[in-house]
Amino acid sequence: MSTTESTVSEVEAAVRGTLAAHKSMYLATSGGDGPWVGGVYFAEVDTFTLVLVLEDSGRTLAAVRENPVVALVVSTGSPAQPFLQARAVAEVVDGEWDARVRERLVAKVPEAAPFLAYPIRAVRLSVTSWRITDLPNGWLPGRELTPTA
């Protein structure tokens, strides 16, 4: 295995571990009302696909509908602990995907279940690239992870 393959594998493992260790993230959007950041619960479908729900009449969902390109941060809030940053494309989903989103979200974050009783919409995020910053591993600047073809 080459150094590059080892590094990609190591970075991917760190991204997966960080995602698994967190139930919530900050989601940044930009619509007609300008930029907006909100906290949301999320679950992973795979390393590059996250799912969540948004309030049907909320500012975040309105911005996603206007501009589906979003940014996100998965972090404890401490720069001394590993954290993730990413760009993604958000898609409001219905039907089978709506049910999958709700099921996966509650499986990871049981405390999110009460939100499902409110008017919400299921959203799938397709992450275009991850950046992980991990000071204990010496990853400053952070390491990039993009999907393989």
Side-chain angles (χ1 to χ4, degrees):
M1 182 180 293
S2 74
T3 304
T4 302
E5 289 171 321
S6 177
T7 301
V8 168
S9 177
E10 185 179 22
V11 170
E12 184 169 3
V15 167
R16 286 181 183 204
T18 304
L19 287 171
H22 293 273
K23 296 180 177 185
S24 64
M25 66 180 175
Y26 293 101
L27 182 67
T29 59
S30 182
D33 285 340
W36 187 252
V37 176
V40 296
Y41 289 124
F42 76 93
E44 312 87 58
V45 173
D46 57 49
T47 307
F48 293 95
T49 309
L50 306 179
V51 293
L52 52 102
V53 295
L54 295 174
E55 180 185 351
D56 195 35
S57 60
R59 187 173 181 173
T60 304
L61 185 60
V64 163
R65 287 182 166 140
E66 287 181 52
N67 179 7
V69 177
V70 300
L72 57 103
V73 174
V74 179
S75 172
T76 64
S78 170
Q81 294 182 351
F83 63 92
L84 303 173
Q85 296 168 287
R87 293 180 110 188
V89 176
E91 177 185 4
V92 178
V93 294
D94 292 310
E96 182 182 323
W97 260 103
D98 179 87
R100 288 175 66 188
V101 167
R102 291 167 185 258
E103 180 181 307
R104 191 169 294 265
L105 185 62
V106 171
K108 179 176 181 175
V109 189
E111 57 269 35
F115 289 102
L116 303 183
Y118 290 92
I120 52 99
R121 296 302 308 261
V123 176
R124 178 177 55 215
L125 300 181
S126 298
V127 174
T128 55
S129 68
W130 284 109
R131 181 177 186 86
I132 183 166
T133 302
D134 185 343
L135 296 180
N137 274 327
W139 295 351
L140 184 67
R143 301 295 189 261
E144 301 288 329
L145 180 66
T146 56
T148 56

